Amino acid sequence: MRALILRNDPTAAVANSQALIDKGFQILCVDTREVAETLVRMDTIDLLVMDEQVQGQLTHSIALSGERKNPFISAILMTDRTGAETDDLYDLIPSLYALAGGDTASSIVGQLALASVANSPDTAARIAENQSVDLAEASEPDETIVAIDDAASLAEDDCDIP
């Protein structure tokens, strides 16, 4: 199992890394969004542990990129948002397994990590749902093409060619 850790606080990153190593993970620990983006596109990552914001930008796109490479990926997002502020995150990031506060103990992060990669039935259901949405979108005609076809048929109807 491979985990990518992207945290603003190097001390927290090291503590999270050690907790995940103790749980049997291979660790990739990075400190920039760009390196994290590159790694999730090039390598198969099973788990993302990352702050919601790094370098002043949200990290949601990293989780979404990771899902394209590995649909079984899970994400643990470290955020200080609470309550209703977090509701939309689970809809926005399908691979999101858990939200944890930025100062959550590394032992808890390790337990969440193990649980997140053990959720195969949930992940399989998410993948099936994503595939059905993709299939439905692929079977819908492109509105631009339909509009062009409609315009062409209207033009043919208007012509009185003997």
Side-chain angles (χ1 to χ4, degrees):
M1 299 176 294
R2 297 190 85 172
L4 175 78
I5 297 174
L6 173 62
R7 301 290 312 268
N8 288 311
D9 178 5
T11 304
V14 169
N16 289 165
S17 296
Q18 188 58 55
L20 295 181
I21 289 168
D22 292 345
K23 299 291 184 190
F25 285 87
Q26 294 177 351
I27 302 301
L28 300 166
C29 193
V30 299
D31 61 354
T32 67
R33 292 180 70 258
E34 293 78 17
V35 173
E37 262 309 330
T38 301
L39 285 172
V40 297
R41 288 183 183 153
M42 295 179 59
D43 203 353
T44 301
I45 306 295
D46 301 300
L47 173 67
L48 296 169
V49 176
M50 56 189 180
D51 287 328
E52 184 177 16
Q53 285 194 12
V54 173
Q55 300 167 319
Q57 294 183 328
L58 293 172
T59 57
H60 303 170
S61 63
I62 297 169
L64 296 172
S65 293
E67 285 179 38
R68 278 183 244 131
K69 174 72 175 175
N70 176 13
F72 287 94
I73 198 169
S74 292
I76 299 172
L77 198 61
M78 310 304 282
T79 182
D80 291 324
R81 288 200 221 187
T82 59
E85 295 176 334
T86 64
D87 292 344
D88 63 334
L89 290 175
Y90 286 97
D91 291 330
L92 179 66
I93 307 169
S95 63
L96 183 58
Y97 180 77
L99 297 171
D103 59 351
T104 299
S106 293
S107 60
I108 301 295
V109 174
Q111 290 173 343
L112 287 170
L114 275 183
S116 73
V117 296
N119 68 350
S120 296
D122 293 338
T123 303
R126 183 186 80 232
I127 291 167
E129 181 182 338
N130 289 346
Q131 288 174 339
S132 67
V133 168
D134 290 346
L135 183 60
E137 288 174 355
S139 65
E140 293 176 4
D142 184 347
E143 292 178 17
T144 305
I145 293 172
V146 171
I148 291 170
D149 288 345
D150 289 346
S153 66
L154 286 174
E156 289 173 6
D157 291 345
D158 290 342
C159 294
D160 291 329
I161 300 176

